[in-house]
Amino acid sequence: MALCGPKLSLCCLLLSIWGVIQLALMGVFFYIKSVALVEDLPLEEEYKPTEEDMKNFYGDVDRAYSQNAFNCWIAACLYVGTFLISAQQFYMNNKSTSGTAF
Amino acid sequence: MSSLFQSEEMTLCQLFLQSEAAYSCVSELGELGLAQFRDLNPGTNAFQRKFVNEVRRCDEMERKLRYLEKEIKKDNIPMLDTGENPDAPQPREMIDLEATFEKLESELREVNQNYEALKRNFLDLTELRHILRKTQVFFDEVCTLTINMGVVAGTPGGVAQSPSTPDDEHVGLLSEEGMGRGQTASAKLGFVAGVILRERLPSFERMLWRACRGNVFLRQAEIETPLEDPASGDSVYKTVFIIFFQGDQLKAKVKKICEGFRATLYPCPDSPAERREMCMGVMTRIEDLNTVLSQTQDHRHRVLVSAAKNIKTWFIKVRKIKAIYHTLNCFNVDVTEKCLVAECWIPVADLDNIQLALRRGTERAGSSVPPILNRMSTTQEPPTYHRVNKFTRGFQNLIDAYGIASYREVNPAPYTIITFPFLFAVMFGDSGHALIMLSFGAWMVLCENSLAKKKSKNEIWNIFFGGRYIILLMGLFSFYTGLIYNDWFSKSLNIFGSAWFANNQTYNNLEIWKHHETEKDLMLDPKNAYSDKPYPIGLDPVWQVAENKINFLNTYKMKISIILGVIHMLFGVLLSLWNHVYFKRTVNILCEFIPQLIFLTFLFLYLCILMFHKWIWYGANMVGANKEYDEQHAPSILITFINMVLFKYSDDPNEFMFSGQKMLQMCFVVIALICVPWMLFIKPFVLQSQHKKQMAANGGAHGAGAPKINPDFESGETSELPTPVDGNNSAAPAAHSSGGGGGHGEHGEEFEMSEIFIHQGIHTIEYVLGSVSHTASYLRLWALSLAHAQLSEVLWSMVMRIGLAQKEYYGAVILFFIFGAWAILTVSILVLMEGLSAFLHTLRLHWVEFQSKFYTGAGYSFTPFDFHEMLAAAEAADEGD
């Protein structure tokens, strides 16, 4: 049942905890449309200052923000799964070595 | 009064111990760990010392214990470490211990020997069994024979290899061949059977063939299972062979060759019935041997298990005894042969503790005469002892790595507790990375008891664990500077709302249209896009999306680096004042401290004041009446400083920041320049006049007892120490060399003016040039923080952005993997590598820029006779090999 050794499971455990926290927060920040993350949005190369392009721009930005927010949250959920798997691996490794493995 | 501020006051004491009580007293002192003994018999070698026999006995005991430990480890029996600390046993108990160890060792050796003999026996029997089985095959073929095998194909002398088909070669070798052939009745064939290593077989065959001229016949069959060699324990493959020959001479030859090839021969009976009987006998004997072997193993295991329970305590006891006798060897025997005399360094504050320990020791020994502790006065430099706890020990180690503080000089460690993490944080400055470092440090600190018990051998882990408080503090401070720089994994957090806003003048369609062909950037002018309420704490988050963020931050970080540097160095110079006052070196105060202070202040502190002035008085929103203070008129501080030193003033009215600046600057530079010859020339002449006065006062009596002038530069001289000195201060020859800048030889009465001038010159140049170069050196605070910020930003934009640039939901899976990669790179590059780099630079700033202003670091550290340390060192040495 042990897929990975004690060190790998510990690393994955810590990584997934960090991932859950950070990706959840990033999702929140994308959702509230924070300006700090504007450069990370998938937008077109160029928007001309015409009425039509401007409207497209605003729509694109809104869509990009919510898309990224959902992506972040889904990734956070994936990391929750990783957390559960690595936690189980870690405990199994600990049991077999009867004590804290480090 | 002990504190970390300066090292403890030490005193040299003479200890008179009665011979019977000496052992227990030393044992008590070892438990206390506060006395550093000096070796009073340096001339004698190890074999001439008084207690050499006891030490030898201890060595012998240790050897036996190590043998036991090896055997225990071989069997993988756990040795339990109860963590108890038994006292050193009395000398009479040593005999009991010796007897126990002797018994255990002999028993174990006996068991091992028996085991080996039994194993050998077992091997022989096994080989015999194989032989009996294999040769059965050879002899069987004899029976399937018909007589008229006229063609005796396959010469009887041929060396047949692997006969797979019952050939004519196998015609009646043993039996009636002779009869079948009739008259050429040769004698019956003899044979020998044996076992040989498989590797040796080919050469064995060849040798047989050559030596016996092909007149012997060899059959062989391999033994499939490997047999265990009793001596080495390896498994080897062997082959059964049987050699048929005729005649006694060939027999002798064959036997000799077998001996040469170390093949073991076994007596093999002719008839099958006998062979079968022998086989059964061998099997029963093998079974019996197996039982005996397993019982021997059990017995050995039991012996080792019972030994394993106590072996750790025994080790501790034996090591303590040995340490006590080593220490006793350093003592002098008194003339009356009834007591031992020792000299030791003791911290003055612990004299009572030592007295108590000595009293305890004498009571334990049942002696009536109390030990005598006598304080001596000496001119030798005492060792440096800092009383540290687990928190301050890490920082003290950082300082000690550069050099142990001289006796009773100011200890930089307490300030390092704050300045080190702070300067690190200025260079590290990212709250996200700081959180990682903080959590690592906090985990180590919270779990320190259980982690310390692990006694890991990993060097890197031990370094990290030893510095856990440093890492914790670095993380805390870096979190703070990350808040100030507003940097969280290269992103800024907008908590309070930015003070800048997109105003209509810049951000309307017309403006954008006008600019989009020519310039890609729009500029927010603080005159109309900045609400005059600045962001409360830290950098305004708007800078994150600005192209000129680096330009803005550069000027800020560079200025702050210089300001921090000047404050740090000024603090160092002020600490040197304290050293001068304590060691009563008034000449240094007047001729070194004051000009140093003036030089540093008038030039570099003035530079810092200019920076503050520029920050406060000049601004981009100074309009109207204050127009001379707007951004067009702000002079460059660096150019101003350079011009000030070069006395280069132009007629530009915008040049000065306040009225009277020109006159003030010229005064400052002139006074600072005067400080240089002040530092250079005055002190040597003062020293010379002091020396002349001394010479005149002493007249002609220049014995070794005449106190001489010590042209001390940096270090404290013991002749001026406030220790209890006898009334006759001429008993202070002070013949030891002073530390600090290249100690000169103190030859009796000579006073080399040239040497003093050279020294003073070196010192002055070092300080003057150093103050410029060290001030610039603090700019690494800016450089490293810039590098860290840029690396962090690159990592985000090159790695994380890939995961965030997807427009569909599969982007989540990509983000999942990208985040893992980004996290690993962050930890390895930004936290570990940059952290190490910033740590190193901070250490350099402390060691060179800060400590060169006041620190001598020429002492030697206090190494008391302490069982705890001795045991830890012995264990470390054990693990090492």
Side-chain angles (χ1 to χ4, degrees):
Chain A
M1 266 274 279
L3 298 164
C4 39
K7 288 205 184 120
L8 184 58
S9 57
L10 182 65
C11 280
C12 285
L13 191 65
L14 296 174
L15 183 67
S16 41
I17 296 177
W18 179 9
V20 170
I21 301 177
Q22 178 163 339
L23 286 170
L25 282 175
M26 272 166 64
V28 170
F29 289 135
F30 272 117
Y31 196 71
I32 62 176
K33 301 200 206 313
S34 86
V35 182
L37 296 168
V38 74
E39 286 160 353
D40 297 322
L41 297 173
L43 297 173
E44 299 297 326
E45 276 295 313
E46 198 184 342
Y47 289 92
K48 298 206 176 20
T50 59
E51 273 303 321
E52 187 205 334
D53 255 6
M54 283 295 155
K55 248 201 286 279
N56 284 349
F57 174 69
Y58 283 116
D60 278 349
V61 164
D62 285 335
R63 228 189 342 270
Y65 266 125
S66 32
Q67 182 65 51
N68 269 357
F70 293 140
N71 279 353
C72 284
W73 283 328
I74 295 172
C77 293
L78 290 176
Y79 269 111
V80 169
T82 316
F83 170 71
L84 294 171
I85 297 176
S86 40
Q88 190 258 342
Q89 291 289 313
F90 185 64
Y91 276 116
M92 248 185 28
N93 277 316
N94 266 0
K95 263 201 304 222
S96 59
T97 60
S98 69
T100 50
F102 196 67
Chain B
M1 220 283 285
S2 68
S3 75
L4 205 52
F5 179 62
Q6 57 175 149
S7 77
E8 295 272 317
E9 199 180 337
M10 310 289 284
T11 171
L12 188 63
C13 287
Q14 239 178 354
L15 195 56
F16 292 92
L17 294 171
Q18 207 188 10
S19 305
E20 296 110 45
Y23 183 89
S24 349
C25 287
V26 174
S27 163
E28 286 291 332
L29 286 178
E31 297 287 341
L32 199 56
L34 282 172
Q36 176 175 346
F37 289 99
R38 289 177 55 214
D39 190 359
L40 293 175
N41 312 319
T44 55
N45 70 13
F47 296 103
Q48 294 165 342
R49 306 252 183 172
K50 184 160 186 275
F51 294 96
V52 64
N53 280 332
E54 280 79 2
V55 174
R56 218 179 265 151
R57 281 162 68 193
C58 287
D59 272 336
E60 187 58 30
M61 281 199 280
E62 242 189 313
R63 185 194 60 79
K64 294 197 180 109
L65 279 178
R66 273 201 295 269
Y67 172 68
L68 277 172
E69 192 184 18
K70 196 173 64 138
E71 294 292 317
I72 291 177
K73 279 209 187 116
K74 229 199 300 195
D75 272 13
N76 286 328
I77 301 174
M79 291 178 281
L80 69 119
D81 195 354
T82 56
E84 62 171 86
N85 195 10
D87 282 340
Q90 293 295 322
R92 44 182 174 275
E93 284 172 44
M94 209 163 99
I95 307 179
D96 292 336
L97 277 175
E98 275 181 319
T100 321
F101 297 158
E102 178 71 39
K103 190 168 73 84
L104 272 172
E105 191 203 10
S106 59
E107 202 173 331
L108 208 56
R109 277 203 202 275
E110 207 182 307
V111 165
N112 281 346
Q113 268 170 359
N114 288 347
Y115 186 73
E116 230 174 279
L118 286 170
K119 257 284 166 160
R120 221 179 290 276
N121 217 355
F122 182 73
L123 185 72
D124 287 347
L125 287 174
T126 324
E127 286 178 358
L128 186 55
R129 188 184 62 178
H130 282 290
I131 286 183
L132 288 171
R133 255 201 249 126
K134 301 284 177 181
T135 53
Q136 187 66 31
V137 179
F138 303 150
F139 294 127
D140 274 347
E141 284 146 358
V142 168
C143 311
T144 63
L145 225 349
T146 62
I147 307 259
N148 56 342
M149 284 280 142
V151 41
V152 186
T155 69
V159 185
Q161 295 315 345
S162 44
S164 41
T165 60
D167 247 346
D168 311 307
E169 297 167 331
H170 311 312
V171 169
L173 285 165
L174 284 183
S175 56
E176 294 72 42
E177 195 222 359
M179 296 175 235
R181 301 257 302 244
Q183 275 57 45
T184 52
S186 32
K188 193 153 176 283
L189 282 179
F191 69 95
V192 290
V195 166
I196 190 175
L197 280 174
R198 237 184 244 183
E199 298 92 59
R200 299 207 182 128
L201 190 64
S203 40
F204 182 56
E205 285 189 61
R206 226 171 306 142
M207 183 61 114
L208 270 178
W209 175 254
R210 289 201 187 125
C212 307
R213 306 207 195 157
N215 285 331
V216 297
F217 181 53
L218 172 90
R219 287 294 305 278
Q220 45 116 333
E222 297 182 342
I223 301 179
E224 298 83 13
T225 55
L227 303 165
E228 193 186 331
D229 180 23
S232 59
D234 317 327
S235 313
V236 291
Y237 284 98
K238 293 198 172 174
T239 311
V240 168
F241 65 87
I242 181 165
I243 305 177
F244 295 99
F245 49 80
Q246 203 176 27
D248 283 329
Q249 281 185 337
L250 276 177
K251 180 176 185 175
K253 263 198 209 158
V254 164
K255 280 227 169 100
K256 278 222 183 80
I257 295 175
C258 288
E259 251 173 77
F261 276 86
R262 261 182 262 287
T264 30
L265 295 175
Y266 293 95
C268 196
D270 282 359
S271 60
E274 274 177 47
R275 278 201 298 277
R276 222 165 315 158
E277 222 181 283
M278 195 180 208
C279 209
M280 311 269 280
V282 164
M283 305 275 267
T284 25
R285 277 164 67 197
I286 287 184
E287 306 250 328
D288 290 339
L289 256 185
N290 263 331
T291 347
V292 175
L293 275 172
S294 61
Q295 280 185 349
T296 316
Q297 277 296 75
D298 281 344
H299 177 64
R300 184 188 128 101
H301 191 83
R302 255 174 289 132
V303 166
L304 287 177
V305 162
S306 74
K309 288 200 201 100
N310 299 328
I311 195 164
K312 287 280 177 198
T313 10
W314 283 337
F315 258 121
I316 295 179
K317 284 189 183 165
V318 169
R319 286 194 175 125
K320 280 193 180 177
I321 299 179
K322 197 161 126 178
I324 294 179
Y325 277 117
H326 270 307
T327 315
L328 284 175
N329 271 339
C330 299
F331 289 9
N332 247 341
V333 185
D334 192 26
V335 188
T336 60
E337 293 266 356
K338 274 213 239 108
C339 71
L340 294 165
V341 183
E343 270 182 31
C344 51
W345 287 105
I346 302 181
V348 169
D350 282 317
L351 275 173
D352 293 331
N353 286 345
I354 305 264
Q355 296 275 19
L356 276 173
L358 287 173
R359 207 164 300 151
R360 272 203 304 272
T362 35
E363 273 172 37
R364 263 216 336 221
S367 153
S368 53
V369 180
I372 303 177
L373 193 65
N374 190 16
R375 282 177 74 160
M376 300 194 316
S377 65
T378 175
T379 52
Q380 286 177 348
E381 192 181 343
T384 311
Y385 178 46
H386 293 292
R387 242 181 251 275
V388 289
N389 56 24
K390 65 184 177 182
F391 174 64
T392 50
R393 178 185 304 280
F395 296 99
Q396 188 65 51
N397 283 348
L398 282 180
I399 305 293
D400 286 347
Y402 179 73
I404 311 275
S406 305
Y407 181 63
R408 294 294 261 173
E409 85 169 334
V410 149
N411 183 15
Y415 321 108
T416 309
I417 298 179
I418 296 298
T419 57
F420 189 89
F422 182 69
L423 289 180
F424 174 87
V426 172
M427 291 195 259
F428 198 67
D430 185 315
S431 290
H433 305 141
L435 277 177
I436 299 174
M437 197 179 265
L438 183 61
S439 53
F440 181 53
W443 168 70
M444 280 198 289
V445 168
L446 290 173
C447 303
E448 63 184 356
N449 286 330
S450 56
L451 286 175
K453 282 211 192 72
K454 287 236 186 77
K455 291 194 208 232
S456 156
K457 281 175 251 166
N458 193 342
E459 281 267 352
I460 299 187
W461 165 253
N462 281 336
I463 293 178
F464 277 133
F465 185 67
R468 58 196 180 278
Y469 285 103
I470 306 180
I471 294 181
L472 177 69
L473 279 181
M474 293 197 303
L476 270 174
F477 278 71
S478 303
F479 186 78
Y480 167 72
T481 53
L483 283 179
I484 299 291
Y485 292 153
N486 210 349
D487 195 350
W488 297 72
F489 294 122
S490 85
K491 295 284 167 196
S492 296
L493 217 55
N494 185 359
I495 310 177
F496 303 103
S498 172
W500 297 70
F501 50 89
N503 56 358
N504 273 332
Q505 284 129 297
T506 330
Y507 279 93
N508 56 50
N509 285 356
L510 208 57
E511 283 295 314
I512 296 175
W513 183 248
K514 251 199 289 184
H515 282 226
H516 95 285
E517 296 281 344
T518 53
E519 311 152 22
K520 293 290 179 190
D521 299 326
L522 293 165
M523 185 148 79
L524 290 175
D525 193 339
K527 288 190 187 49
N528 43 33
Y530 177 70
S531 73
D532 278 322
K533 289 199 295 287
Y535 195 73
I537 294 184
L539 196 67
D540 197 303
V542 77
W543 285 106
Q544 198 189 181
V545 294
E547 291 286 326
N548 56 348
K549 172 185 185 186
I550 298 183
N551 285 350
F552 171 71
L553 274 184
N554 274 357
T555 154
Y556 163 69
K557 284 183 181 172
M558 285 170 114
K559 289 201 175 74
I560 206 89
S561 309
I562 301 287
I563 292 174
L564 287 175
V566 170
I567 294 179
H568 206 207
M569 288 195 292
L570 214 50
F571 181 53
V573 175
L574 290 175
L575 282 179
S576 78
L577 174 68
W578 199 93
N579 268 344
H580 296 320
V581 167
Y582 181 79
F583 291 115
K584 299 195 186 4
R585 294 181 286 206
T586 335
V587 65
N588 276 0
I589 299 180
L590 292 173
C591 303
E592 277 185 12
F593 170 72
I594 296 195
Q596 281 180 348
L597 192 64
I598 293 180
F599 187 80
L600 195 61
T601 319
F602 278 16
L603 288 178
F604 297 101
L605 195 61
Y606 174 66
L607 180 65
C608 295
I609 293 178
L610 280 182
M611 292 178 195
F612 277 108
H613 184 271
K614 184 173 173 186
W615 272 339
I616 298 176
W617 285 93
Y618 285 82
N621 47 5
M622 299 287 190
V623 285
N626 295 336
K627 209 163 180 334
E628 31 202 271
Y629 289 109
D630 72 0
E631 76 271 15
Q632 314 280 352
H633 299 99
S636 154
I637 304 269
L638 188 60
I639 306 290
T640 311
F641 188 67
I642 294 176
N643 288 344
M644 164 172 125
V645 176
L646 294 177
F647 286 104
K648 201 166 72 154
Y649 295 105
S650 65
D651 288 326
D652 183 2
N654 287 334
E655 190 184 341
F656 296 117
M657 295 199 267
F658 51 87
S659 58
Q661 183 175 2
K662 177 170 173 184
M663 189 44 52
L664 189 67
Q665 282 181 187
M666 287 172 68
C667 282
F668 277 178
V669 178
V670 165
I671 297 180
L673 283 178
I674 291 178
C675 287
V676 178
W678 184 356
M679 278 192 262
L680 191 56
F681 289 117
I682 305 216
K683 183 167 160 190
F685 287 117
V686 168
L687 290 176
Q688 194 184 44
S689 73
Q690 271 185 353
H691 179 74
K692 284 210 185 99
K693 257 191 269 175
Q694 290 276 2
M695 299 285 270
N698 287 344
H702 296 306
K708 73 169 290 301
I709 300 296
N710 300 321
D712 44 280
F713 291 115
E714 267 90 36
S715 63
E717 305 294 330
T718 55
S719 52
E720 323 208 24
L721 282 177
T723 52
V725 188
D726 336 332
N728 180 16
N729 69 353
S730 65
H736 75 290
S737 55
S738 64
H744 57 211
E746 300 187 30
H747 344 278
E749 316 310 312
E750 293 162 41
F751 182 77
E752 292 282 337
M753 260 316 254
S754 54
E755 275 197 42
I756 296 183
F757 259 112
I758 291 176
H759 269 291
Q760 199 61 23
I762 293 176
H763 192 77
T764 308
I765 292 177
E766 214 184 344
Y767 183 79
V768 169
L769 291 183
S771 57
V772 179
S773 96
H774 292 171
T775 309
S777 177
Y778 275 94
L779 282 171
R780 68 188 69 222
L781 295 173
W782 155 67
L784 259 89
S785 93
L786 178 66
H788 188 94
Q790 288 307 297
L791 263 178
S792 172
E793 204 175 302
V794 157
L795 199 58
W796 183 281
S797 58
M798 294 281 138
V799 180
M800 194 68 125
R801 205 161 278 176
I802 304 175
L804 296 170
Q806 317 300 328
K807 293 196 182 171
E808 303 295 329
Y809 281 102
Y810 63 76
V813 180
I814 298 182
L815 184 60
F816 173 79
F817 290 109
I818 292 280
F819 177 83
W822 176 85
I824 292 175
L825 283 174
T826 297
V827 168
S828 60
I829 297 180
L830 287 169
V831 176
L832 281 175
M833 190 190 82
E834 276 285 318
L836 202 62
S837 168
F839 181 92
L840 201 66
H841 282 282
T842 314
L843 201 57
R844 176 251 154 77
L845 280 179
H846 277 77
W847 280 355
V848 178
E849 274 79 13
F850 175 57
Q851 289 181 239
S852 63
K853 305 284 181 284
F854 68 97
Y855 192 65
T856 326
Y860 62 104
S861 99
F862 177 61
T863 45
F865 173 58
D866 190 359
F867 282 141
H868 199 73
E869 305 234 354
M870 183 266 310
L871 288 169
E875 268 196 38
D878 257 358
E879 311 285 335
D881 39 69

